[in-house]
Amino acid sequence: MAAAVLICIAVPQRALAACGHESVSVSGTAEEIADACRALDEVLSYFRKIGFQPDPNVSIAFWDQVEIDMFPQTYKPAGKESVGKSQVSGSYDFRRRELQVTSGRRQIRRDRSPWGIEWGQPIAYSILQHELAHAIVAGLLGSEYQKFAKAWHEFIAYSVQFAVMDPELKSKVLANYPDAKPFQFPESVNPVVYAADPDEFGVSAYLFTEANHGPGFIRRILAREVPFSIREFEFLWVD
């Protein structure tokens, strides 16, 4: 008699009211859903430690690849007509409260090597933490979200990402940037510097935060208690 063989296939699923939060949903395999909940807990814990009580409201989806629309003008698209797609590791859409991230648990080959780290689960998980930081900040700021400069949103997300990053991964990332320094001035946190090298921007953001009392500095930014402008002035957001 032929032996019965059971083949287990990881089928993506969607979990509603996920991770113990009514307004959180996650689409992915069981392992990916578990990753999302663990990363969300870590990011929420960071913000709670600096005095905030976030109530997460986000839809998280894991994909083989994530693409975003490209526009002729970076933030104010003429007629909102996309000129193409760009593949990214993850993205957060604050208007829809949707987070998409490239899975690190699928057999996917990617040329992208953030901070010179080969693509895999550790770096994919860290990027998930980064995008979750964006989602939590969106909830904390509400209608003020659009008034924060894009570069400062990235500054905050990178600072949180490094703070909750796996220590071994963080050591590898920083070792790849031995000459990295904190931003010299707050004005250095701008779209030009970010666009020139997002990876180096992220390292400098983390070092600048650490040089200014760590997580407490992020609390001051979100509470608008810093002595410099973090408001958007390079462009107008268009819905």
Side-chain angles (χ1 to χ4, degrees):
M1 189 172 88
V5 178
L6 178 63
I7 301 176
C8 296
I9 301 175
V11 179
Q13 53 189 292
R14 185 179 184 191
L16 302 175
C19 311
H21 299 281
E22 186 66 28
S23 298
V24 174
S25 68
V26 186
S27 298
T29 65
E31 284 186 322
E32 290 164 351
I33 292 172
D35 287 339
C37 292
R38 180 162 63 95
L40 178 60
D41 283 344
E42 291 164 347
V43 174
L44 286 173
S45 178
Y46 175 95
F47 284 99
R48 287 169 181 151
K49 286 178 180 177
I50 59 175
F52 297 101
Q53 295 299 320
D55 184 15
N57 184 347
V58 60
S59 173
I60 305 166
F62 290 85
W63 297 98
D64 288 351
Q65 65 179 32
V66 177
E67 293 182 333
I68 59 173
D69 289 316
M70 299 296 291
F71 298 99
Q73 292 174 283
T74 308
Y75 296 110
K76 190 179 180 182
K80 296 188 177 181
E81 291 297 325
S82 170
V83 295
K85 299 280 187 179
S86 176
Q87 189 175 134
V88 295
S89 301
S91 70
Y92 173 69
D93 186 331
F94 79 93
R95 296 176 180 87
R96 296 183 176 89
R97 297 177 179 174
E98 292 178 352
L99 187 162
Q100 299 183 62
V101 65
T102 304
S103 175
R105 292 194 177 276
R106 307 181 190 184
Q107 297 302 313
I108 306 165
R109 184 184 180 280
R110 295 201 73 214
D111 294 332
R112 169 87 167 115
S113 300
W115 297 297
I117 304 295
E118 183 179 357
W119 180 258
Q121 174 59 8
I123 197 69
Y125 183 82
S126 183
I127 290 167
L128 169 62
Q129 294 171 318
H130 177 104
E131 300 304 333
L132 283 168
H134 280 303
I136 298 306
V137 168
L140 292 174
L141 294 179
S143 62
E144 291 291 304
Y145 184 89
Q146 295 164 275
K147 297 178 182 178
F148 269 54
K150 169 71 174 177
W152 279 105
H153 277 296
E154 292 299 337
F155 178 99
I156 294 169
Y158 276 119
S159 295
V160 175
Q161 178 182 7
F162 272 88
V164 300
M165 187 180 287
D166 174 78
E168 183 177 348
L169 176 60
K170 185 191 296 186
S171 295
K172 290 179 180 178
V173 170
L174 295 179
N176 287 346
Y177 287 80
D179 300 324
K181 294 180 174 57
F183 291 120
Q184 188 172 2
F185 307 105
E187 292 77 15
S188 301
V189 181
N190 63 64
V192 176
V193 174
Y194 172 72
D197 190 335
D199 289 346
E200 186 172 353
F201 178 98
V203 175
S204 293
Y206 168 68
L207 295 176
F208 190 81
T209 295
E210 289 300 291
N212 286 274
H213 311 293
F217 182 60
I218 300 301
R219 184 201 63 77
R220 292 179 62 207
I221 293 174
L222 292 172
R224 288 67 129 195
E225 295 174 353
V226 288
F228 50 82
S229 176
I230 50 180
R231 292 177 67 86
E232 191 59 85
F233 61 90
E234 297 93 351
F235 60 86
L236 297 174
W237 293 77
V238 179
D239 289 326

